[in-house]
Amino acid sequence: MDPVSLITAALAAGLTNLSNTAVADAYAALKRLLFQRSGGQPEDNGVLDTATAEDPQTRATLEERLRAIRADTDPEVVRAAAQLLALTDPEGSQAGKYQVTVTSSQGVVIGDHNQTTQHFTGT
């Protein structure tokens, strides 16, 4: 799973399991990290809360924002997202479903139910 998908999945899982105190705490910690990485932009709180949206455009906006703040390259954010997913899906986590290792890559798409459009220019 690519880092952006991991973070998006973690945000969605956290939003749908907030009744569990450990999940709520892990979700709040991830969201706090993302908010800090964004420079504390107030509009980011609303964008982060769209993780459960089914609308592809809303999902794309969230993914673009995560990339813009470079959340996908921040080990602390990725680790926090993986920890949140481990709480919400222990079986998947133990099976390695949320393990991410991507280096020196471009256009990597990994995970469940992906839709992507990629445009690359000369290297």
Side-chain angles (χ1 to χ4, degrees), residues 40-90:
Q41 298 298 316
E43 66 273 8
D44 283 334
N45 261 337
V47 172
L48 297 176
D49 288 336
T50 65
T52 57
E54 295 294 324
D55 174 47
Q57 185 59 42
T58 303
R59 187 75 123 179
T61 300
L62 171 60
E63 292 173 356
E64 287 172 20
R65 189 63 192 139
L66 291 172
R67 285 186 185 90
I69 64 172
R70 301 187 51 84
D72 56 329
T73 63
D74 187 318
E76 191 176 1
V77 170
V78 172
R79 187 172 28 259
Q83 289 172 343
L84 177 52
L85 285 172
L87 291 170
T88 60
D89 183 11

Side-chain angles (χ1 to χ4, degrees), residues 10 14 16 30 35 42 72 78 82 91 109 116:
T16 58
L30 175 59
F35 190 66
D72 56 329
V78 172
E91 295 84 19
V109 179
T116 185

Side-chain angles (χ1 to χ4, degrees), residues 9 16-17 19 22 26-27 34-35 38 44 46 51 57 60 98 107 119 121:
T16 58
N17 291 288
S19 61
Y27 173 78
L34 291 168
F35 190 66
S38 75
D44 283 334
Q57 185 59 42
Y98 306 115
H119 302 276
T121 58

